[in-house]
Amino acid sequence: EAAKLNARQRHVRQLSEAEERMRRRSQVWLIVAVAVLITAVPGQSQPQIARFELPADVTFPEGIAYDAKAGVVYTGSAATGNLVRLTLGSKQATTVAPAGSLMATEPFPALLGMKIDGAGRVWIAGGRTGQMVVVDSKSGKVLKKFEVPTPGASLINDVVIVGPSAYFTDSLTPTLWRVTVKGDQIGDLEPWLQFTGTPLEYTKPGANLNGIAATADGRHLIVVQMNKGLLFRIGVDDKQVAAIDIGGESVATGDGLVLD
């Protein structure tokens, strides 16, 4: 229990340090954790901050998924595994899946990055559990669950949806994982891209790939290597990996990504 508490305290300290770096780098927006939703207000130069209260048992909220059609966002607890729906209009919080119902919650952290697809399925990266889960956003029912071959060696950190496929980053193993949906059938987990021998070189110790986003045309993935502070572009069709020139700047500790 003491080791677990220390790990969580280190996690919080790292988040605080990252937030301080973000304030100093106004040109780079890196979403570290879900605490507030930023919304633009007409006629005002600065965005306003709206606060959404989470249930008390949703500790260490991390991932966030936005359903534009329904006007809701989803988030979850990296510690207890709850999945929660927040209605933007009323700011009401509803528990979709209770603690422990989606996946294992040890080792910490679990329930990290998440995205919702056009069919109302929430895809969730399972952190140090080495798991990924697909959940029905209305009922909270687990539609399918995956686990990497060596879960203890992986940290499944974030996910993006491109067409019929979901791509998951792994912070510890140099692999980009993919699951493809065909019709109503959710396919199997595949090690879609191995980074060994590419310009994206994993190093130890430390977390490598974290956040992932896709270009509007779905042709490229954008990933951040948080321990080196680098950004990379990956071709969906040809799997070519190329560094993005950010003028010598560093995006170290970069977490979630949103492509503007």
Side-chain angles (χ1 to χ4, degrees):
E1 289 299 321
K4 187 190 304 182
L5 178 61
N6 290 336
R8 295 181 182 179
Q9 290 174 337
R10 286 196 300 272
H11 185 67
V12 172
R13 184 167 59 253
Q14 290 168 355
L15 292 180
S16 299
E17 293 171 353
E19 289 170 352
E20 179 61 27
R21 278 189 285 272
M22 282 194 295
R23 284 191 287 269
R24 294 198 298 266
R25 295 182 183 275
S26 60
Q27 294 180 347
V28 179
W29 289 71
L30 298 172
I31 301 173
V32 177
V34 52
V36 296
L37 179 70
I38 306 298
T39 55
V41 177
Q44 297 186 4
S45 58
Q46 296 295 326
Q48 298 298 297
I49 298 177
R51 182 176 297 276
F52 293 78
E53 296 295 335
L54 296 172
D57 59 351
V58 182
T59 55
F60 295 90
E62 210 274 1
I64 185 165
Y66 174 46
D67 186 343
K69 293 180 180 179
V72 299
V73 295
Y74 294 84
T75 188
S77 169
T80 61
N82 314 52
L83 180 65
V84 177
R85 180 192 303 113
L86 295 168
T87 303
L88 299 185
S90 65
K91 297 186 179 180
Q92 180 180 358
T94 304
T95 297
V96 177
S101 65
L102 300 183
M103 64 175 68
T105 55
E106 294 293 343
F108 176 85
L111 254 71
L112 298 182
M114 59 182 70
K115 294 292 185 299
I116 188 166
D117 65 16
R121 296 172 294 222
V122 182
W123 297 71
I124 303 174
R128 287 305 303 266
T129 70
Q131 298 176 336
M132 304 88 152
V133 65
V134 188
V135 183
D136 183 279
S137 62
K138 294 182 179 180
S139 67
K141 177 184 178 181
V142 174
L143 302 176
K144 196 160 185 177
K145 186 182 293 186
F146 310 93
E147 186 172 79
V148 298
T150 55
S154 288
L155 195 164
I156 310 303
N157 214 321
D158 203 1
V159 57
V160 69
I161 308 294
V162 181
S165 299
Y167 297 84
F168 292 86
T169 58
D170 191 327
S171 298
L172 302 181
T173 298
T175 302
L176 193 64
W177 304 92
R178 185 177 77 168
V179 176
T180 298
V181 177
K182 295 182 179 180
D184 294 330
Q185 298 298 314
I186 301 173
D188 297 323
L189 181 67
E190 60 172 315
W192 181 72
L193 176 59
Q194 303 285 356
F195 290 109
T196 302
T198 74
L200 202 168
E201 298 179 353
Y202 269 48
T203 59
K204 295 181 179 181
N208 289 270
L209 284 198
N210 193 329
I212 184 169
T215 55
D217 59 10
R219 295 178 57 190
H220 294 90
L221 307 174
I222 310 298
V223 294
V224 59
Q225 189 174 14
M226 66 184 305
N227 56 355
K228 289 187 175 181
L230 302 174
L231 292 172
F232 292 87
R233 181 186 296 107
I234 302 169
V236 172
D237 292 332
D238 58 15
K239 300 185 182 181
Q240 292 298 305
V241 181
I244 296 176
D245 184 1
I246 53 177
E249 292 289 333
S250 172
V251 289
T253 72
D255 204 314
L257 299 183
V258 173
L259 185 61
D260 186 337

Short mmCIF file of all heavy atoms in Angstrom, two decimals, residues 12 15 22 48-49 54 70 79 94 103 107 121 128 133 138 147 177 181 189 196 222 238 241-242 245:
data_model
loop_
_atom_site.label_atom_id
_atom_site.label_comp_id
_atom_site.label_asym_id
_atom_site.label_seq_id
_atom_site.Cartn_x
_atom_site.Cartn_y
_atom_site.Cartn_z
N VAL A 12 1.19 12.43 -9.46
CA VAL A 12 0.62 13.76 -9.27
C VAL A 12 1.70 14.82 -9.38
O VAL A 12 1.51 15.87 -9.99
CB VAL A 12 -0.10 13.84 -7.91
CG1 VAL A 12 -0.52 15.28 -7.61
CG2 VAL A 12 -1.31 12.93 -7.89
N LEU A 15 2.57 15.43 -12.95
CA LEU A 15 1.53 16.21 -13.62
C LEU A 15 1.65 17.68 -13.26
O LEU A 15 1.52 18.55 -14.12
CB LEU A 15 0.14 15.69 -13.23
CG LEU A 15 -0.24 14.30 -13.74
CD1 LEU A 15 -1.63 13.95 -13.26
CD2 LEU A 15 -0.18 14.26 -15.25
N MET A 22 3.69 23.89 -19.13
CA MET A 22 2.70 24.32 -20.13
C MET A 22 2.40 25.80 -20.01
O MET A 22 2.22 26.49 -21.00
CB MET A 22 1.41 23.51 -19.96
CG MET A 22 1.47 22.12 -20.54
SD MET A 22 -0.15 21.39 -20.68
CE MET A 22 -0.59 21.28 -18.95
N GLN A 48 -13.07 30.92 -21.56
CA GLN A 48 -13.56 30.82 -20.20
C GLN A 48 -13.41 29.38 -19.72
O GLN A 48 -13.43 28.45 -20.51
CB GLN A 48 -15.02 31.25 -20.12
CG GLN A 48 -15.25 32.69 -20.52
CD GLN A 48 -14.51 33.66 -19.60
OE1 GLN A 48 -14.79 33.73 -18.41
NE2 GLN A 48 -13.56 34.39 -20.15
N ILE A 49 -13.29 29.22 -18.43
CA ILE A 49 -13.12 27.89 -17.85
C ILE A 49 -14.40 27.48 -17.15
O ILE A 49 -14.89 28.17 -16.26
CB ILE A 49 -11.94 27.87 -16.86
CG1 ILE A 49 -10.63 28.21 -17.58
CG2 ILE A 49 -11.84 26.51 -16.18
CD1 ILE A 49 -9.44 28.28 -16.67
N LEU A 54 -16.82 15.97 -10.69
CA LEU A 54 -16.83 14.52 -10.88
C LEU A 54 -17.26 13.83 -9.58
O LEU A 54 -17.08 14.38 -8.49
CB LEU A 54 -15.43 14.04 -11.26
CG LEU A 54 -14.89 14.52 -12.61
CD1 LEU A 54 -13.43 14.13 -12.76
CD2 LEU A 54 -15.72 13.97 -13.74
N ALA A 70 -23.89 13.86 -29.19
CA ALA A 70 -24.67 13.78 -27.97
C ALA A 70 -24.41 14.94 -27.02
O ALA A 70 -25.17 15.14 -26.06
CB ALA A 70 -24.40 12.46 -27.25
N ALA A 79 -7.32 5.15 -11.20
CA ALA A 79 -7.07 4.36 -10.00
C ALA A 79 -8.13 3.29 -9.76
O ALA A 79 -7.82 2.16 -9.40
CB ALA A 79 -7.00 5.28 -8.78
N THR A 94 -22.85 11.15 -14.78
CA THR A 94 -23.51 9.86 -14.65
C THR A 94 -22.48 8.75 -14.75
O THR A 94 -21.68 8.73 -15.69
CB THR A 94 -24.57 9.67 -15.75
OG1 THR A 94 -25.50 10.75 -15.70
CG2 THR A 94 -25.30 8.36 -15.57
N MET A 103 -12.00 -3.44 -16.41
CA MET A 103 -10.70 -4.12 -16.52
C MET A 103 -10.03 -4.12 -15.16
O MET A 103 -10.53 -3.51 -14.21
CB MET A 103 -9.81 -3.41 -17.55
CG MET A 103 -9.43 -1.98 -17.17
SD MET A 103 -8.26 -1.21 -18.31
CE MET A 103 -9.25 -1.05 -19.78
N PRO A 107 -1.69 -3.24 -12.07
CA PRO A 107 -1.01 -2.15 -11.38
C PRO A 107 -1.48 -0.78 -11.86
O PRO A 107 -1.99 -0.65 -12.96
CB PRO A 107 0.46 -2.39 -11.73
CG PRO A 107 0.42 -3.05 -13.07
CD PRO A 107 -0.80 -3.93 -13.04
N ARG A 121 -19.18 3.55 -29.36
CA ARG A 121 -18.32 2.67 -28.56
C ARG A 121 -17.15 3.49 -28.02
O ARG A 121 -16.52 4.25 -28.76
CB ARG A 121 -17.79 1.51 -29.41
CG ARG A 121 -18.88 0.57 -29.90
CD ARG A 121 -18.36 -0.44 -30.88
NE ARG A 121 -17.92 0.17 -32.13
CZ ARG A 121 -18.16 -0.33 -33.33
NH1 ARG A 121 -18.84 -1.45 -33.47
NH2 ARG A 121 -17.72 0.29 -34.41
N ARG A 128 -0.92 0.35 -17.25
CA ARG A 128 0.00 -0.70 -16.87
C ARG A 128 -0.64 -2.08 -16.83
O ARG A 128 0.05 -3.08 -16.65
CB ARG A 128 0.61 -0.39 -15.50
CG ARG A 128 1.64 0.74 -15.50
CD ARG A 128 2.77 0.51 -16.50
NE ARG A 128 3.48 -0.72 -16.29
CZ ARG A 128 4.59 -0.84 -15.59
NH1 ARG A 128 5.11 0.23 -15.02
NH2 ARG A 128 5.18 -2.00 -15.45
N VAL A 133 -9.96 -1.95 -23.83
CA VAL A 133 -11.34 -2.39 -23.72
C VAL A 133 -12.23 -1.51 -24.58
O VAL A 133 -11.97 -0.31 -24.74
CB VAL A 133 -11.80 -2.37 -22.23
CG1 VAL A 133 -11.81 -0.96 -21.68
CG2 VAL A 133 -13.15 -3.02 -22.07
N LYS A 138 -23.68 3.67 -23.77
CA LYS A 138 -24.98 3.83 -23.11
C LYS A 138 -25.15 2.88 -21.93
O LYS A 138 -25.57 3.28 -20.85
CB LYS A 138 -26.10 3.62 -24.12
CG LYS A 138 -26.16 4.69 -25.21
CD LYS A 138 -27.32 4.45 -26.16
CE LYS A 138 -27.38 5.53 -27.23
NZ LYS A 138 -28.51 5.32 -28.18
N GLU A 147 -5.60 -7.88 -24.58
CA GLU A 147 -4.43 -7.80 -23.72
C GLU A 147 -3.20 -8.10 -24.56
O GLU A 147 -3.20 -9.04 -25.37
CB GLU A 147 -4.53 -8.79 -22.56
CG GLU A 147 -3.38 -8.65 -21.55
CD GLU A 147 -3.62 -9.50 -20.32
OE1 GLU A 147 -3.37 -10.71 -20.42
OE2 GLU A 147 -4.06 -8.96 -19.29
N TRP A 177 -0.17 -0.54 -31.53
CA TRP A 177 -1.16 -1.61 -31.64
C TRP A 177 -2.39 -1.13 -32.40
O TRP A 177 -2.75 0.04 -32.33
CB TRP A 177 -1.57 -2.08 -30.24
CG TRP A 177 -0.41 -2.53 -29.39
CD1 TRP A 177 0.32 -1.76 -28.51
CD2 TRP A 177 0.15 -3.83 -29.33
NE1 TRP A 177 1.29 -2.52 -27.92
CE2 TRP A 177 1.22 -3.80 -28.41
CE3 TRP A 177 -0.13 -5.04 -29.98
CZ2 TRP A 177 1.99 -4.91 -28.10
CZ3 TRP A 177 0.64 -6.15 -29.68
CH2 TRP A 177 1.68 -6.08 -28.75
N VAL A 181 -12.36 -2.71 -37.09
CA VAL A 181 -13.76 -3.15 -37.07
C VAL A 181 -14.20 -3.40 -38.51
O VAL A 181 -13.98 -2.57 -39.39
CB VAL A 181 -14.66 -2.09 -36.41
CG1 VAL A 181 -16.12 -2.53 -36.46
CG2 VAL A 181 -14.23 -1.83 -34.97
N LEU A 189 -6.56 -7.86 -31.80
CA LEU A 189 -5.44 -6.95 -31.59
C LEU A 189 -4.25 -7.39 -32.43
O LEU A 189 -3.91 -8.57 -32.46
CB LEU A 189 -5.06 -6.95 -30.11
CG LEU A 189 -3.92 -6.03 -29.69
CD1 LEU A 189 -4.31 -4.57 -29.85
CD2 LEU A 189 -3.52 -6.32 -28.23
N THR A 196 11.29 -0.37 -33.86
CA THR A 196 12.70 -0.71 -33.93
C THR A 196 13.21 -0.53 -35.37
O THR A 196 12.61 -1.05 -36.31
CB THR A 196 12.93 -2.16 -33.49
OG1 THR A 196 12.43 -2.32 -32.15
CG2 THR A 196 14.41 -2.51 -33.51
N ILE A 222 -0.20 11.46 -35.56
CA ILE A 222 0.78 12.30 -34.88
C ILE A 222 0.96 11.74 -33.47
O ILE A 222 -0.02 11.51 -32.76
CB ILE A 222 0.31 13.76 -34.79
CG1 ILE A 222 -0.13 14.28 -36.16
CG2 ILE A 222 1.42 14.64 -34.21
CD1 ILE A 222 0.95 14.30 -37.21
N ASP A 238 1.54 3.75 -45.57
CA ASP A 238 2.88 3.18 -45.80
C ASP A 238 3.67 2.92 -44.52
O ASP A 238 4.79 2.40 -44.57
CB ASP A 238 3.69 4.09 -46.72
CG ASP A 238 3.85 5.52 -46.18
OD1 ASP A 238 3.59 5.74 -44.98
OD2 ASP A 238 4.23 6.41 -46.97
N VAL A 241 7.69 6.57 -40.76
CA VAL A 241 7.81 7.37 -39.55
C VAL A 241 8.80 8.51 -39.79
O VAL A 241 9.92 8.27 -40.24
CB VAL A 241 8.30 6.50 -38.37
CG1 VAL A 241 8.40 7.36 -37.10
CG2 VAL A 241 7.38 5.31 -38.15
N ALA A 242 8.39 9.74 -39.50
CA ALA A 242 9.26 10.90 -39.71
C ALA A 242 9.11 11.86 -38.54
O ALA A 242 8.01 12.08 -38.02
CB ALA A 242 8.90 11.61 -41.02
N ASP A 245 9.60 18.68 -37.37
CA ASP A 245 10.52 19.75 -37.00
C ASP A 245 9.79 20.80 -36.17
O ASP A 245 8.91 21.50 -36.67
CB ASP A 245 11.10 20.39 -38.26
CG ASP A 245 12.15 21.46 -37.95
OD1 ASP A 245 12.43 21.69 -36.76
OD2 ASP A 245 12.68 22.06 -38.91
#
